[in-house]
Amino acid sequence: MKVLIKRLDKELPIPTYAKPGDAGVDLYSTIEASLAPGERKLIPTGIAIALPPGTAAFVHPRSGRAITEGLGMVNAPGTVDAAFRGELKVILINHDPENTIAIKRGERIAQLVIQRVEHAEFVELDELPGSARGEGGFGSTGKI
């Protein structure tokens, strides 16, 4: 699958897969930023993409910084529709209750995963067909 890319910041690398079998490519920050405890900021990545029809991109947080610093994303995963042509930006949040997190220019801040997506046709019915679970609550046990 080919994804067309426009580098809005020519000093940052084009996303690539770090290792064979990786699902996502790294996205980089174009700016220096700091996030105080509980603070969130919109961080630009310096790229715009054109996805093939029938696909979408999903922006995921990076697990290493999540565990070591509490860096996360407000809307994880973020969804990039195939028709979107603007700069990809990531809403980061500092979940650490005490420490400020520094974001450096050129630092990896998130992962981008490209997937095929289906378009559903919604058919309204008065009653849905039965299933083993039925209307049994929230969660996998259905007890909530």
Side-chain angles (χ1 to χ4, degrees), residues 91-106:
I91 307 169
L92 294 179
I93 186 167
N94 180 355
H95 289 295
D96 189 285
E98 299 173 4
N99 299 307
T100 296
I101 296 175
I103 304 295
K104 297 176 184 155
R105 175 178 160 72

Side-chain angles (χ1 to χ4, degrees), residues 13-98:
I14 289 177
T16 58
Y17 295 95
K19 297 177 184 155
D22 283 357
V25 297
D26 288 322
L27 296 176
Y28 303 89
S29 173
T30 64
I31 63 172
E32 303 272 331
S34 65
L35 288 94
E39 186 177 14
R40 60 188 180 268
K41 285 190 179 169
L42 186 63
I43 308 294
T45 67
I47 62 168
I49 58 175
L51 295 166
T55 64
F58 300 93
V59 182
H60 295 270
R62 298 193 70 244
S63 57
R65 291 201 73 183
I67 190 64
T68 60
E69 299 176 86
L71 184 64
M73 286 177 46
V74 175
N75 63 326
T79 303
V80 181
D81 295 311
F84 180 68
R85 296 294 184 267
E87 181 175 13
L88 300 184
K89 297 179 182 181
V90 181
I91 307 169
L92 294 179
I93 186 167
N94 180 355
H95 289 295
D96 189 285
E98 299 173 4

